[in-house]
Amino acid sequence: MGLFVAQLLTGLANAAALFLVASGLSLIFGVTRIVNFAHGSLYMLGAYVGLTLMNTLPGAFGFWGSIVLAGLVVGLIGILIEICVLRPIYRAPELFQLVATFGVILVIQDLALMIWGAEDRLGPRAPGLKSVVRILGEPVPQYDLALIAITPFILFALWWFITRTRIGILVRAATQDREMVGALGVNQSWLFTGVFFLGAALAGLGGAIQLPKGGADLLMDLNIISAVFVVVVIGGMGSIPGAFIASVLISVLNVFGVAYIPQSTLVLIYVVMAVVLTVRPYGLLGREEKAGEHGQVGEVERPIRPVGTRGRAFVFVLLVVLACVPFVGSSFLQVLITDILIFCLFAASLQFILSSGGLVSFGHAVFFGGGAYAAALLVTYADTPMELALLCAPLGAGLLALGIGWFCIRLSGVYFAMLTLAFSQLVWSLVYQWGAVTGGDDGLVNIWPSAWLSGTTAYYYFTLAVGVGGILVLRHIIHSPFGYTLRATRDSARQAEATGIDVKRVQWLAFALAGTMAGLAGGLFVFSKGSIFPNELEIGKSFDALIVVFLGGVKTLSGGVVGAVFMESIKDWLTRLEYWRLILGLVIIGVVIIAPDGIVGSLRKLGERIGLLKEQESMR
Amino acid sequence: MKTVKTLVAAAALAISATAAHAADTIKIGEINHYKRLAAFAEPYKKGIELGLKEVNASGGVLGKPLEFIFRDDQGKPGEAIKIAEELMTRDGAVMLTGTILSNVGLAISSFAAEKGYVYLAAEPLADALVWSAGNPYTFRLRTSTFVQAAMLAEAAAKTDALKYATIAPNYAYGKDAVEAFKVNLKKLKPEVEFVTEQWPALFKIDAGAEVQAIEAAKPDAIYNVTFGPDLAKFVREGTTRGLFDDRNVYGLLTGEPEYLEPLGEEAPEGWVVTGYPWYDIPAGPGLDFVKAYEAETGETPKIGSLVGYMTVQSIAALITKAGSTETSALLGAFPGLKVETPLGEISYRDVDHQSTMGAFIGTTALKDGAGVMVDWTYKDPEAYMPSDEEIKSMRPAE
Amino acid sequence: MTAVLKVEGLSKSFGGVKAVNGVDFEVAPGELKALIGPNGAGKSTCFNMLMGQLMPSAGKVYLKGEQITGLPPRVIWRKGVGRTFQITGTYQSMTVAENVQMALMSHHRKLFSLLPYAYRLFREEALALLDVVGMADQADRSCAILAYGDLKRLELAIALSNDPMLLLMDEPTAGMAPKERINLMQLTSDIVRDRGISVLFTEHDMDVVFAHAHHIMVLNRGELIADGTASEVRANARVQEVYLGGGTLYAAEGSHA
């Protein structure tokens, strides 16, 4: 009994920082509809700023003062981010801001490294709260009790602010109906800025308040963000009480998980998340999303046509050039282009489901990695020949996509995105923690192609054929009746249903097709690298693909491919520099602000303006 | 739509053309997680730079300056392999080295064997590199996990403790480390019992919960494999909640300055650990290195600094012995290679390509508000290694 | 002759409120029939049940004698019922012709076909349909830039693409200029005549209703209070009470502009 209570208290104390960060994220999402991936970075900044302040300000007053000040400082940084990065792109396509916040993550990572150095910092302990209290015979740290007391207080303060103050009521109204608040003459941009300040301050507070239990290190940003997403999604996007309940739920579950299934704590969390979302798709306290609420922002996608003779000739010439690379270029150039081609196919598969299907998947890497693992497992355990294993990669990924899609496709918009994220994290945690089969973090190695493909050049041609082939197949499918049907379900589900189209079935199959193609890319990948590791199916990989699709241009057909080429090339060049993440982050933010239609979309507009391309009939 | 690709191809060609005409040096490709694990990679890099300075001040190798090309793999094995290929085929590196994370080390090792490149795994901890996934092209410098765990097990076996708890990050290195400790301890003292095994996810420890779970199992002794931020949190929660009171604690790598220093005055006392007591090295090559490093960088050395320095020494010795930078010559010279290092002479074993770098084992104590190792000894690894037959049966047929 | 559409005891309650209550009616082949009633009378609810968007609480719907109650919209469509909506739901990212082609692809069961180019499929057929509604000259314009009246005509063409025996049109002329309304309804009644299709439509504009409908049904508070020819309905005392009592017959028009 004593142990049980003590474990419960540990869970509650752990919930504090998680709740602060999650409520900030939830608040920002509720009002601005921005999924702020940089929220973990704000948490990290809170920890570093708090640490710096605590080292300067003495005593208990200095300690608690530092925590509050850290919150304020991070809030100000949040304002800076909102004004400089997000404000220019509120009108960009749905979820485009996501890419910008990813750029912010990169920038903050390098800035933190520059300012605070690489060494992990241990946080100071709270003055006067250094020992334990015995509760039912079990030691409970005093600071844990302080955290347990503070959290409901903050929840109450937030509740009071939102329900009892004028600004709070506006915030709440904006959560319900953004347009209405705008129509009432409230200055929306300052409301957004204010909310961003508050959300960022909460994250900063969370970072500072956990210092006595941990410290500050450069890995905190990404470490907390996946937990925070779990909490926000389980609690319900935009719901602060939901964030509270979910942080307590997750923290307590985690404590008991540690005690009883220590090998599978990660799996447990993601299983809970997947179950909650399957039963209550909008989270515990989330409200149902009305159709069209987050419909496409900005101009409508244009009618499409297969490329004309000139375009085909251009692609043909390009292929010829690529085919000549082994005769003129170095072996590394072939490796680089192989990598880029594989990534292009992966991005094209995401673009297919995202642009043509209007389904934003946050977990697309699960199919890339899933395909790769399918092949690698066959080679490792069944000595399957490479040719057969490579064939099984898209098949395996396609089956996985059928399975995951069956659950996810019932939702739409951000909730669809979040459920795909949940499932991909579930698969990732399985791969990561089921070491006996998957090799866990050490992956599966020695997965090399058959003799006839083992040379760099041979594999280069193979990837060129399969990769470009895959991209062309996807492109063709977009122009086929199935592709049109998919676009029809995106443009108007009601009309589609009323004209004999089974919308969910079409989306499901398209999702599976996208997964299959991602799996093909994964298969190519594993044989080009000779090994596969869980990081190929983690969140970061999914984001890489999302970023290139958005950068390339969502409302275009070739955006994914162009974005992938752009990104991989620039990365290959930038990673040689000392602070490449800073530069890459700035490049991403720059592209997002300057070219909100993506690279292809913006080039097309430029082409039309200078008369190179035929201008489209203007709207209205 | 594919203009960019052409431009890239052109740019890449231009770069490779200039690279070919670079100064005539012997280049080594060094891949590491300079960003994601900067705390560990930076001292390592500084150790390499010190080593290079000394080698080149005395005329380089084979009459040419030795040069390391440092590349960041972002902690991604796939990226590391691309970089490895680039280093070898475009930048003109003669061999590969580097990596801290075991998984990247394993990926590069497999790649090196496939392509026929020599790879010196400087820092990775997974023993699979030289044993179960060993190959003719891969060599490893750093003391094996098995050996360090065996040294701790030897110390543990001398006590009365019978019930053990283990805590290790939930990935291959953690699992190897726990397994090695269990095997060695059981061999020495069959009656010991492992009452709980805790597996926090790497860098995601929930320290309070872990401490409670261990406390609930009421062990006599604890074996710790956590490191970095995980270790700091574990130590703090454990100390606060009295977990370490009246218990023997064994810490793998816990005594390494990388992990002990950030703990500051909260460093645990009385743990038996492996590490690197640079502050206490007697006069000789070991102290010379410490002094040179401090003079060069203005910082105190970490274990990574030492490994980086020894990497340069190993490679310089290797190329000198081979008399050439051809892969076949390097491969021929590597097994049995002897290198003079701050830890004395080490050699690369023929049987498994593992170096004979040993380990410092001692007890932690607080001195001037910082954790240090006291009563330490430097132990040679050979006595703790599995037998040659066991190793041969583990290594894949060649 | 069997009725094309037969409705028996159709009812729908939303949490105790009876939106539609025991409605019975028939639509004969070739008939152009209007369903009118004041705002909130239950017209849209009734329509949504006929087309399968809503599940009735009670009652049955027969299409040519076959029960179709509660079937999903896409199945009912396949059985030969076309539909237009009060607010148009065309595919904004496609051209005018492609919108019709899309419906034709569905009708000819080519939705899951991966090989042909969609923009070439059934183009002639689509152009012919567009010609019927007078939109052929705009076939290759983007749907996103069409005028509202053109969108309505396009919807009609789409609704004709599965060669329906019955057309359900919800407020077909809503939001159009008066002259356009007359044109559209004239077009509709021509189509009914030429193709022998039955049409059931709801409408606010009484000019349109009385000028074109063969028969008119009046719905009030979920109940059918009249079903007959224009003159019969005009003379019906309850209808007069509903419309004149709660406002004029023509006042209802202003509410949907």
Side-chain angles (χ1 to χ4, degrees):
Chain A
M1 184 61 201
L3 178 66
F4 181 81
V5 170
Q7 283 175 324
L8 207 61
L9 291 175
T10 305
L12 287 173
N14 288 346
L18 199 54
F19 164 65
L20 283 170
V21 185
S23 61
L25 184 74
S26 209
L27 199 65
I28 291 176
F29 172 80
V31 176
T32 65
R33 294 287 149 187
I34 288 181
V35 181
N36 179 23
F37 276 103
H39 218 63
S41 307
L42 296 171
Y43 165 77
M44 178 171 80
L45 284 178
Y48 273 113
V49 171
L51 197 69
T52 310
L53 289 169
M54 283 173 195
N55 288 337
T56 341
L57 307 172
F61 179 77
F63 176 83
W64 295 106
S66 300
I67 291 181
V68 175
L69 275 177
L72 289 177
V73 170
V74 175
L76 292 176
I77 296 172
I79 289 186
L80 197 70
I81 294 172
E82 201 273 342
I83 290 180
C84 298
V85 179
L86 297 173
R87 196 176 278 192
I89 52 171
Y90 278 127
R91 304 226 61 84
E94 180 186 16
L95 295 174
F96 196 63
Q97 297 85 358
L98 186 113
V99 181
T101 61
F102 199 82
V104 172
I105 293 181
L106 293 173
V107 170
I108 292 181
Q109 272 175 350
D110 260 4
L111 287 180
L113 176 64
M114 278 183 196
I115 298 172
W116 287 286
E119 203 163 306
D120 301 332
R121 310 285 194 91
L122 190 61
R125 311 179 73 175
L129 296 173
K130 292 185 182 176
S131 70
V132 292
V133 177
R134 295 248 160 213
I135 294 178
L136 297 173
E138 294 287 333
V140 177
Q142 288 170 330
Y143 192 71
D144 277 19
L145 293 175
L147 285 179
I148 295 171
I150 291 170
T151 319
F153 175 74
I154 292 172
L155 174 66
F156 178 77
L158 275 177
W159 174 82
W160 179 84
F161 168 73
I162 285 180
T163 54
R164 291 285 179 272
T165 66
R166 183 179 144 71
I167 301 176
I169 289 167
L170 283 179
V171 167
R172 205 159 44 123
T175 317
Q176 310 290 335
D177 190 340
R178 239 200 308 178
E179 284 68 30
M180 193 61 202
V181 174
L184 288 173
V186 175
N187 185 334
Q188 224 186 54
S189 20
W190 285 110
L191 184 67
F192 281 19
T193 309
V195 165
F196 219 87
F197 169 79
L198 185 59
L202 284 168
L205 219 50
I209 211 165
Q210 63 81 43
L211 281 170
K213 288 174 72 70
D217 60 75
L218 292 170
L219 302 175
M220 316 171 56
D221 52 350
L222 294 185
N223 279 348
I224 194 147
I225 196 71
S226 58
V228 166
F229 272 114
V230 170
V231 164
V232 170
V233 170
I234 290 183
M237 304 280 292
S239 163
I240 287 172
F244 178 73
I245 294 173
S247 3
V248 170
L249 177 74
I250 288 299
S251 303
V252 170
L253 259 178
N254 196 48
V255 170
F256 287 106
V258 164
Y260 303 109
I261 43 164
Q263 298 254 27
S264 317
T265 42
L266 289 175
V267 181
L268 175 75
I269 300 298
Y270 292 116
V271 166
V272 168
M273 175 171 175
V275 168
V276 168
L277 289 191
T278 308
V279 180
R280 285 191 65 91
Y282 304 101
L284 294 174
L285 296 184
R287 75 202 165 91
E288 187 168 341
E289 192 174 345
K290 291 186 208 103
E293 193 172 15
H294 311 305
Q296 300 211 341
V297 182
E299 64 182 276
V300 181
E301 197 197 21
R302 301 164 175 197
I304 55 169
R305 275 287 175 276
V307 286
T309 326
R310 265 164 63 192
R312 275 164 208 248
F314 179 66
V315 172
F316 180 76
V317 169
L318 237 146
L319 285 175
V320 170
V321 169
L322 284 174
C324 292
V325 163
F327 300 106
V328 289
S330 67
S331 147
F332 171 69
L333 187 60
Q334 295 171 42
V335 170
L336 181 65
I337 298 177
T338 303
D339 267 20
I340 293 178
L341 282 169
I342 292 171
F343 195 59
C344 283
L345 178 57
F346 177 43
S349 72
L350 177 66
Q351 171 117 37
F352 175 74
I353 191 71
L354 196 155
S355 300
S356 296
L359 298 166
V360 182
S361 166
F362 278 4
H364 204 55
V366 75
F367 306 120
F368 179 84
Y373 266 97
L377 287 169
L378 282 171
V379 171
T380 308
Y381 293 104
D383 277 326
T384 314
M386 170 250 180
E387 294 78 7
L388 185 61
L390 191 57
L391 199 64
C392 289
L395 288 179
L399 284 175
L400 188 66
L402 274 180
I404 292 178
W406 190 82
F407 288 99
C408 299
I409 220 74
R410 296 177 300 155
L411 302 181
S412 58
V414 173
Y415 288 89
F416 171 83
M418 286 298 165
L419 198 56
T420 54
L421 180 73
F423 274 102
S424 75
Q425 284 294 92
L426 175 60
V427 174
W428 169 80
S429 62
L430 269 175
V431 168
Y432 187 76
Q433 296 202 315
W434 197 11
V437 172
T438 61
D441 203 39
D442 280 1
L444 296 167
V445 292
N446 287 326
I447 321 291
W448 293 104
S450 303
W452 64 280
L453 278 179
S454 65
T456 304
T457 305
Y459 204 78
Y460 171 77
Y461 280 121
F462 183 69
T463 311
L464 186 62
V466 178
V468 173
I471 292 169
L472 292 180
V473 164
L474 276 172
R475 234 189 124 91
H476 180 81
I477 290 176
I478 292 174
H479 292 287
S480 77
F482 182 65
Y484 268 62
T485 310
L486 184 63
R487 289 199 305 140
T489 65
R490 176 200 65 191
D491 281 2
S492 172
R494 185 193 66 185
Q495 175 79 0
E497 279 285 339
T499 50
I501 297 172
D502 188 340
V503 170
K504 293 296 172 197
R505 186 148 162 256
V506 169
Q507 290 179 332
W508 188 36
L509 290 177
F511 190 72
L513 177 67
T516 306
M517 285 311 208
L520 180 62
L524 287 172
F525 177 86
V526 71
F527 286 105
S528 80
K529 300 289 182 189
S531 52
I532 182 71
F533 298 87
N535 72 307
E536 295 303 336
L537 37 74
E538 70 189 10
I539 299 186
K541 185 84 183 181
S542 296
F543 290 175
D544 283 351
L546 275 173
I547 288 172
V548 301
V549 171
F550 278 105
L551 279 185
V554 182
K555 290 169 182 177
T556 62
L557 295 185
S558 49
V561 173
V562 173
V565 172
F566 172 77
M567 193 69 170
E568 287 292 285
S569 321
I570 202 166
K571 249 190 186 168
D572 181 64
W573 175 67
L574 275 179
T575 49
R576 289 146 216 272
L577 307 174
E578 175 77 16
Y579 289 104
W580 64 267
R581 288 186 305 187
L582 180 70
I583 301 170
L584 183 64
L586 291 175
V587 167
I588 290 176
I589 294 171
V591 172
V592 164
I593 291 175
I594 297 166
D597 295 311
I599 297 169
V600 178
S602 299
L603 283 179
R604 187 167 62 190
K605 278 195 178 158
L606 184 74
E608 285 168 359
R609 196 172 310 152
I610 60 174
L612 269 178
L613 293 170
K614 202 175 74 170
E615 195 157 351
Q616 207 212 4
E617 211 177 340
S618 67
M619 310 289 285
R620 197 164 317 132
Chain B
M1 85 178 196
K2 287 177 180 165
T3 344
V4 191
K5 217 180 269 180
T6 336
L7 288 175
V8 174
L13 281 174
I15 294 169
S16 56
T18 45
H21 296 290
D24 192 18
T25 55
I26 293 177
K27 298 189 187 67
I28 310 296
E30 213 289 334
I31 302 168
N32 235 314
H33 332 297
Y34 288 105
K35 288 294 175 187
R36 234 25 208 161
L37 286 174
F40 313 120
E42 291 287 321
Y44 168 77
K45 189 177 178 188
K46 286 177 180 160
I48 288 179
E49 281 162 349
L50 175 64
L52 283 178
K53 197 177 161 192
E54 291 180 4
V55 166
N56 290 333
S58 57
V61 283
L62 305 183
K64 294 179 188 172
L66 191 60
E67 183 191 341
F68 271 54
I69 306 170
F70 297 97
R71 292 292 304 273
D72 188 353
D73 61 18
Q74 309 164 46
K76 294 178 185 166
E79 194 69 21
I81 283 171
K82 186 180 92 185
I83 293 170
E85 177 72 17
E86 182 181 5
L87 286 167
M88 293 303 293
T89 61
R90 192 163 85 183
D91 299 340
V94 300
M95 62 176 283
L96 298 165
T97 185
T99 84
I100 295 169
L101 289 178
S102 302
N103 55 5
V104 182
L106 286 164
I108 296 182
S109 161
S110 169
F111 170 78
E114 173 77 10
K115 300 281 172 180
Y117 301 146
V118 179
Y119 170 48
L120 172 59
E123 289 212 280
L125 289 158
D127 291 334
L129 272 171
V130 284
W131 295 344
S132 63
N135 66 54
Y137 294 87
T138 302
F139 298 80
R140 182 167 67 156
L141 169 60
R142 193 167 185 185
T143 323
S144 83
T145 301
F146 184 90
V147 164
Q148 300 198 45
M151 290 176 185
L152 290 177
E154 184 188 49
K158 289 175 185 155
T159 67
D160 299 333
L162 288 178
K163 290 197 280 186
Y164 282 80
T166 66
I167 178 164
N170 193 4
Y171 77 119
Y173 157 63
K175 294 197 166 151
D176 281 359
V178 169
E179 187 57 27
F181 184 76
K182 284 166 85 173
V183 166
N184 282 293
L185 187 55
K186 287 257 186 195
K187 205 189 296 169
L188 296 168
K189 204 171 182 183
E191 65 270 32
V192 296
E193 187 189 343
F194 286 85
V195 289
T196 184
E197 291 181 14
Q198 288 301 313
W199 300 101
L202 182 64
F203 298 145
K204 289 181 184 169
I205 195 171
D206 183 349
E210 301 289 354
V211 168
Q212 274 173 337
I214 295 176
E215 183 69 60
K218 304 267 173 259
D220 304 328
I222 298 164
Y223 173 60
N224 165 63
V225 189
T226 64
F227 59 92
D230 287 348
L231 174 69
K233 292 177 191 172
F234 178 60
V235 167
R236 174 168 287 179
E237 283 288 338
T239 311
T240 308
R241 295 176 191 242
L243 177 69
F244 309 128
D245 299 351
D246 305 320
R247 286 197 175 108
N248 299 324
V249 185
Y250 303 91
L252 196 69
L253 311 189
T254 311
E256 294 185 348
E258 278 91 334
Y259 312 124
L260 205 53
E261 276 174 16
L263 296 176
E265 59 179 10
E266 289 177 53
E269 292 186 81
W271 287 23
V272 179
V273 298
T274 60
Y276 176 41
W278 56 270
Y279 29 77
D280 205 15
I281 306 281
L287 186 61
D288 295 343
F289 164 73
V290 172
K291 284 187 172 156
Y293 187 84
E294 285 177 335
E296 180 69 22
T297 64
E299 294 170 10
T300 57
K302 310 272 192 283
I303 189 81
S305 320
L306 182 62
V307 172
Y309 185 76
M310 287 168 70
T311 303
V312 176
Q313 290 184 313
S314 299
I315 290 171
L318 171 69
I319 297 172
T320 308
K321 182 182 172 194
S324 148
T325 56
E326 291 302 316
T327 299
S328 56
L330 294 176
L331 276 180
F334 223 146
L337 175 74
K338 289 185 170 32
V339 189
E340 280 301 331
T341 74
L343 298 179
E345 187 188 81
I346 63 164
S347 67
Y348 285 86
R349 290 150 44 109
D350 193 24
V351 62
D352 58 2
H353 295 182
Q354 167 69 42
S355 92
T356 58
M357 178 179 177
F360 296 91
I361 175 166
T363 310
T364 56
L366 273 180
K367 194 175 153 196
D368 306 327
V372 291
M373 281 169 75
V374 294
D375 304 329
W376 57 266
T377 46
Y378 175 76
K379 292 192 178 182
D380 205 58
E382 298 274 18
Y384 300 90
M385 289 275 192
S387 72
D388 286 5
E389 285 67 39
E390 285 173 273
I391 288 174
K392 275 179 189 147
S393 69
M394 275 190 278
R395 276 174 77 90
E398 282 160 12
Chain C
M1 200 159 40
T2 336
V4 172
L5 182 71
K6 187 177 166 197
V7 173
E8 282 178 2
L10 198 64
S11 303
K12 180 76 190 177
S13 332
F14 295 105
V17 180
K18 285 192 170 164
V20 174
N21 190 11
V23 168
D24 302 286
F25 66 85
E26 288 185 3
V27 179
E31 186 183 17
L32 183 60
K33 195 166 192 176
L35 177 65
I36 63 169
N39 275 337
K43 301 186 300 282
S44 288
T45 309
C46 204
F47 246 63
N48 285 336
M49 285 191 284
L50 297 182
M51 196 59 200
Q53 261 102 5
L54 267 181
M55 188 74 177
S57 310
K60 297 209 162 52
V61 182
Y62 297 93
L63 184 71
K64 283 255 169 176
E66 184 190 354
Q67 219 212 110
I68 58 164
T69 328
L71 291 178
R74 57 175 183 274
V75 177
I76 295 177
W77 182 81
R78 290 224 179 272
K79 293 186 182 294
V81 183
R83 162 147 204 196
T84 68
F85 292 92
Q86 186 174 352
I87 300 161
T88 54
T90 46
Y91 309 130
Q92 296 280 296
S93 71
M94 297 184 196
T95 65
V96 170
E98 283 171 344
N99 263 277
V100 183
Q101 284 168 282
M102 193 63 243
L104 287 167
M105 281 186 263
S106 181
H107 180 52
H108 294 290
R109 297 186 179 272
K110 289 274 184 219
L111 291 178
F112 294 95
S113 158
L114 296 176
L115 290 180
Y117 277 122
Y119 78 98
R120 289 184 189 150
L121 281 185
F122 311 115
R123 181 159 165 96
E124 292 309 314
E125 221 175 309
L127 290 179
L129 282 168
L130 286 172
D131 200 37
V132 171
V133 299
M135 288 282 293
D137 54 331
Q138 302 199 54
D140 290 320
R141 294 184 78 199
S142 166
C143 202
I145 53 177
L146 283 191
Y148 193 70
D150 290 341
L151 274 178
K152 285 285 188 184
R153 289 196 286 162
L154 170 59
E155 254 204 319
L156 185 56
I158 294 171
L160 292 174
S161 60
N162 65 332
D163 216 355
M165 56 176 116
L166 172 68
L167 261 185
L168 299 175
M169 303 174 79
D170 197 0
E171 306 263 350
T173 68
M176 295 172 85
K179 204 176 164 193
E180 276 186 304
R181 296 182 184 187
I182 303 291
N183 289 342
L184 184 73
M185 278 325 283
Q186 189 57 54
L187 179 63
T188 309
S189 61
D190 290 349
I191 290 166
V192 169
R193 195 189 56 231
D194 297 346
R195 304 193 165 211
I197 300 175
S198 312
V199 174
L200 177 66
F201 69 104
T202 66
E203 188 52 66
H204 268 109
D205 186 337
M206 293 306 146
D207 284 344
V208 168
V209 172
F210 285 93
H212 294 284
H214 305 155
H215 288 99
I216 299 168
M217 295 185 287
V218 184
L219 201 61
N220 186 40
R221 295 189 183 168
E223 292 184 28
L224 206 56
I225 55 172
D227 186 351
T229 62
S231 48
E232 282 166 12
V233 167
R234 251 196 213 104
N236 186 305
R238 282 184 72 191
V239 174
Q240 292 202 348
E241 185 191 288
V242 165
Y243 273 98
L244 299 175
T248 68
L249 199 54
Y250 296 94
E253 258 180 73
S255 64
H256 58 74

